[in-house]
């Protein structure tokens, strides 16, 4: 059985947990005091990446070849001179929000999603990065805007394992964009989404996917937790169906999909927009096994009183029937039974930004 | 040559960074460039990818905060003391 391990990026460093018996224990920490926005384990190279958001010193990339024991800093990508966010604002690197590898037959390919909306690409394992100009120069790009942040940002990057020329990105706020020709052209994939915060909720661009994930077993099944609900696509993003409920499965940030069953997904709901706290002061995970037609609530082992935790968009992950999520209040919960019951593995972590299972 | 002093917080990332580094340059931008040659990567901690002073970093010439945070064009004289400090922010 492969080793079970969790990478937990927090406001105050990276924490690595390993399975020990029935639970997980903290075995290593790094970058203490530094916000670790996200992590990436590259199965092709065995390298672990940490995306750092120094409060003072800017955005940095840190890389480890020994699973976090030692780290090297590599040069962060730069927006080319003269690039503008809009007519008034020069583009500067404000956040490296997500990293993704290319497919197995693309050695060295790494993508970074950033604020103010640039996708960067490396073909030498991060030694150098280039702005993906085709997306940056998309006719809609200067109309993108920030959702919860000052400027638009790419938070989701999905590389189709069947065809690496097909890549989808999720942008807050703009929506989902897809290339099928290795980044030469990009198409908007927002049909069926709605943006209740816009004068025209059905606007082609301006949607706010909080995160977009693809089913590992069927890359044409895509899920997104959106600012305005939960949406699923069974045709690779061409059409989205609203599967939001009147119950708690509504507002939130994170969504995860089962590795083998594309119809099974989980969300960690919060009270909407204005509040962003746990629903009724109680933590709940909702699960669907039928593409979102119905959702079940799971609370066993989760706090059901005086709880104000929220789970951010990269802070929920699934591996087999095991799930893990972290919260803004520094709790880390793990489930071994598909999300039906949970156990806290840490209650005193810094605010959690990302949780990822090791995939080796 | 101007003498440059640093917030101690930078020594976490640049352990070899000594205080009172002497650097040649007529502007703050030239000083930062000179520092980066001496301590590769240091400039990226002080200025952003467009060369502007990072929001939470301050540079003083003597007791005066520099005025040009965007292009770092403030004049530096040979006998000046330059301070690269961390602004107070965050939690």
């Amino acid at each position: 059985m492969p080793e079970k391990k969790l990478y937990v990026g927090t406001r105050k460093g990276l924490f690595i947990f390993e399975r020990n018996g029935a639970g997980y224990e903290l075995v290593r920490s790094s970058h203490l005091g530094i916000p670790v926005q996200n992590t990436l384990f590259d199965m092709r190279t065995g390298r672990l990446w940490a995306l750092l958001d120094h409060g003072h010193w800017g955005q940095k990339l840190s890389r480890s070849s020994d699973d976090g024991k030692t780290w090297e800093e590599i040069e962060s990508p730069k927006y080319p001179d003269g690039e503008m966010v809009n007519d008034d604002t020069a583009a500067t690197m404000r956040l490296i929000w997500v990293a993704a590898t290319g497919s197995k037959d693309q050695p060295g390919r790494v993508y970074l999603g950033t604020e103010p909306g640039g996708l960067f690409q490396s073909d030498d394992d991060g030694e150098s990065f280039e702005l993906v100009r085709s997306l940056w120069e998309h006719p809609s790009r200067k109309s993108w805007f920030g959702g919860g942040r000052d400027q638009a940002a790419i938070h989701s990057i999905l590389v189709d394992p069947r065809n690496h020329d097909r890549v989808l990105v999720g942008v807050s706020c703009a929506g989902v964009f897809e290339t099928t020709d290795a980044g030469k052209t990009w198409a908007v994939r927002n049909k069926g989404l709605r943006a209740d915060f816009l004068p025209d909720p059905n606007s082609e661009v301006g949607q706010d996917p909080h995160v977009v994930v693809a089913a590992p077993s069927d890359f044409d099944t895509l899920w997104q937790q959106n600012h305005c609900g939960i949406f699923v696509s069974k045709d690779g993003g061409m059409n989205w169906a609203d599967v939001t409920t009147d119950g708690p499965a509504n507002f939130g940030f994170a969504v995860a999909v089962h590795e083998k069953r594309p119809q099974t997904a989980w969300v960690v709901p919060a009270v909407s927009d204005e509040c962003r706290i746990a629903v009724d002061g109680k933590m709940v995970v909702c699960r669907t096994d039928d593409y979102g037609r119905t959702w079940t609530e799971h609370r066993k082992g989760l706090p059901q009183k005086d709880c104000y935790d929220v789970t951010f968009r990269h802070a929920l992950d699934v591996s087999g029937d095991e799930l893990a999520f972290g919260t803004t209040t520094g709790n880390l919960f793990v489930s071994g039974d598909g999300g039906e019951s949970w156990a806290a593995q840490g209650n005193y972590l810094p605010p959690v930004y990302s949780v990822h299972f090791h995939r080796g | 040559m101007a003498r440059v002093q640093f917030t101690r917080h930078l020594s976490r990332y640049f352990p070899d960074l000594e205080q009172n580094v002497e650097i040649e340059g007529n502007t703050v931008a030239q000083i930062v460039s000179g520092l980066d040659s001496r301590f590769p990567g240091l400039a990226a901690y002080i200025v952003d990818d467009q060369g502007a002073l990072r929001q939470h970093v301050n540079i003083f010439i003597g007791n005066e905060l520099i005025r040009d945070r965007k292009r770092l064009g403030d004049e530096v004289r040979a006998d000046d003391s330059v301070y690269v400090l961390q602004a107070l922010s965050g939690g």
Side-chain angles (χ1 to χ4, degrees), chain A residues 11-12 30-34 54-60 73 77-83 90-94, chain B residues 7 9-10 12-14 41 44-50 54-57 70 84-91:
Chain A
R11 181 172 162 77
K12 295 290 182 180
S30 66
H31 307 90
L32 285 177
I34 301 168
H54 279 272
H56 291 84
W57 314 120
Q59 306 302 312
K60 309 293 178 203
E73 184 179 318
K78 295 180 169 64
Y79 278 83
D81 286 348
E83 294 301 335
T92 61
M93 181 63 75
R94 297 170 68 108
Chain B
T7 168
H9 295 290
L10 274 171
R12 175 175 177 180
Y13 312 106
F14 297 90
Y45 277 69
I46 300 170
V47 298
D48 67 19
D49 55 322
Q50 302 305 302
R54 290 195 179 281
Q55 185 180 1
H56 300 300
V57 178
K70 202 167 178 184
V84 178
L85 302 177
Q86 184 173 309
L88 297 179
S89 61

